[in-house]
Amino acid sequence: MKIRRFSATAFAAALLIPGLAACNSNGAGTSDASATPSASGSVAPSASGSSSAAKQALLDSTNAIREGNFRFTMTGAGSTAEGQVHEPSQSAEMRMTIGDPSSDLMMKLDLIHAKPDSWVKLDLGGTAAAKIPGVKNLNLGKYQHLDQNRIKGNRALGFDFEKVDPAGSAVLTQGVTDVRQTGEGAYEGTVDVSKAAEAGSLEPAVITALGAQAQSVPFTAKVDPQGRLSEMVLKIPAAGQSAAQDLKITYTDYGNAAAAQKPPADQVVEAPPEFYNLFS
């Protein structure tokens, strides 16, 4: 049975989002209020006064992520990912769910990174779970200590503390082709995701399937009162075998994220070869 590999925030299915590789980012500041967009159809005068200024505001909104101290969520294609990044302690945690109990295969991962170590707890469900090669050796329910040499460059399992944003929002905003402000701290427009493969939010295969549509994917975004990105929603059109769907990314708790806690030693085993094969 072949399991499609996960992309950067290790999570996926049709959109394959999870695996937390990312774009340059980190986080700073404190509060985490979200701006409220204006009513649908109304366009408030842009505080910046032009679309170029609106784009600059979005570009600037990702600066705080680079401090590496925030919480995040990502949802799309029936999958979810959430966690926190705490660069000051060189730690991060990501929890991902791919599919649901009614799926042929549901997968849950709890990834913990505390430099220089990484651990993952894997849970599988669904009728196809028993058909996964080597499933009996996967140590389900235990935290598996990962060999850094074997996960280096793996978008699903690795984490780069020099590129701490799981969604790569800085790369996404650089691909914005049109944007206008629709209310206080609220924006909408289009983004060329064909230029954002490094972001980690979208599986490259999805971008390829979109074809010319990839050059003008609609999006909405919100920034908090401090001008920091709090939400971005990409409205992905139907492409290939994938239905149209929304990819939603949120950021909260700038400057207030907690350090990830290492798993208890009595709950840790070394990851077997079968585990790496599943994500190769």
Side-chain angles (χ1 to χ4, degrees), residues 111-129:
L111 272 160
I112 298 174
H113 302 280
K115 201 172 181 179
D117 292 297
S118 298
W119 303 264
V120 63
K121 181 192 287 186
L122 171 67
D123 289 309
L124 298 172
T127 57

Side-chain angles (χ1 to χ4, degrees), residues 21 51 76 132 209 216:
S51 60
I132 295 177
S216 56

Side-chain angles (χ1 to χ4, degrees), residues 90-110:
Q90 295 280 275
S91 70
E93 183 171 8
M94 301 89 193
R95 292 165 294 280
M96 292 149 255
T97 300
I98 303 152
D100 58 57
S102 64
S103 304
D104 289 340
L105 179 64
M106 182 178 74
M107 181 178 289
K108 292 184 178 181
L109 298 99
D110 184 355

Side-chain angles (χ1 to χ4, degrees), residues 16-220:
L16 289 177
I17 309 170
L20 285 160
C23 107
N24 262 344
S25 334
N26 301 30
T30 44
S31 79
D32 121 12
S34 295
T36 302
S38 62
S40 176
S42 64
V43 178
S46 171
S48 54
S50 69
S51 60
S52 61
K55 180 174 180 178
Q56 188 60 52
L58 281 183
L59 291 171
D60 292 344
S61 75
T62 66
N63 290 339
I65 302 173
R66 297 190 181 93
E67 297 300 321
N69 192 331
F70 58 87
R71 297 185 62 83
F72 71 92
T73 68
M74 297 175 67
T75 60
S79 300
T80 63
E82 58 94 16
Q84 71 263 11
V85 176
H86 193 256
E87 201 278 337
S89 64
Q90 295 280 275
S91 70
E93 183 171 8
M94 301 89 193
R95 292 165 294 280
M96 292 149 255
T97 300
I98 303 152
D100 58 57
S102 64
S103 304
D104 289 340
L105 179 64
M106 182 178 74
M107 181 178 289
K108 292 184 178 181
L109 298 99
D110 184 355
L111 272 160
I112 298 174
H113 302 280
K115 201 172 181 179
D117 292 297
S118 298
W119 303 264
V120 63
K121 181 192 287 186
L122 171 67
D123 289 309
L124 298 172
T127 57
K131 300 178 183 178
I132 295 177
V135 66
K136 293 182 179 179
N137 297 323
L138 289 177
N139 295 308
L140 303 181
K142 287 274 191 178
Y143 280 98
Q144 304 185 57
H145 183 254
L146 301 175
D147 182 341
Q148 295 295 317
N149 290 324
R150 299 191 71 167
I151 67 172
K152 186 175 182 180
N154 188 305
R155 300 181 74 183
L157 302 175
F159 190 78
D160 186 346
F161 281 97
E162 293 183 1
K163 300 179 179 180
V164 299
D165 182 7
S169 293
V171 174
L172 288 173
T173 55
Q174 287 167 11
V176 167
T177 53
D178 179 63
V179 61
R180 60 187 177 279
Q181 187 169 0
T182 58
E184 186 64 31
Y187 301 86
E188 66 178 33
T190 56
V191 58
D192 184 351
V193 299
S194 68
K195 299 178 179 179
E198 295 181 5
S201 303
L202 289 173
E203 173 69 20
V206 173
I207 296 175
T208 299
L210 286 171
Q213 295 182 99
Q215 298 175 14
S216 56
V217 172
F219 79 92
T220 61

